[in-house]
Amino acid sequence: MLTETVQTDELEGKALEWAVLKAIGGAWPANVASNWDRAGYLITNLNIFLSSGGHKQMFIAYLDERAPSVGKTLPEAVYRAVVYSCIGSWISVPVSVLKA
């Protein structure tokens, strides 16, 4: 499988969702269907801290206050925080996922 190494903070869309599933080791529970439900699930189960960053369209999420992750939406920031905490600041993603 051909992969590309990318920064966690640059992941978005399908590639970010793929990385979150890799970080949590599997699939989403059956009762969480939307990005907002998934973000809520992660916030609740992983004790993620949140901030607005003081700007519109900027959300900050972190499991470790020394490593905040930023997103344009709350789910994006939460997803990046999980990937960063579990995998690190760089991740190898299949090229087919990056192009999806």
Side-chain angles (χ1 to χ4, degrees):
M1 171 177 25
L2 188 59
T3 63
E4 185 175 323
T5 302
V6 296
Q7 284 188 298
T8 299
D9 288 341
E10 294 178 3
L11 289 171
E12 54 188 23
K14 295 290 183 191
L16 181 55
E17 187 171 336
W18 176 89
V20 171
L21 290 174
K22 180 174 178 156
I24 64 172
W28 297 109
N31 62 337
V32 293
S34 73
N35 281 338
W36 286 95
D37 289 342
R38 292 170 181 164
Y41 170 81
L42 294 170
I43 291 165
T44 301
N45 289 288
L46 298 177
N47 201 27
I48 296 173
F49 298 96
L50 306 169
S51 172
S52 69
H55 301 285
K56 270 188 165 180
Q57 302 270 314
M58 180 179 168
F59 296 90
I60 301 170
Y62 52 91
L63 282 92
D64 178 346
E65 62 193 33
R66 294 168 291 175
S69 293
V70 177
K72 293 178 267 181
T73 66
L74 182 67
E76 183 176 76
V78 168
Y79 287 8
R80 287 178 179 163
V82 170
V83 174
Y84 187 86
S85 176
C86 296
I87 297 173
S89 59
W90 292 86
I91 183 172
S92 292
V93 180
V95 172
S96 60
V97 173
L98 288 170
K99 295 184 181 204

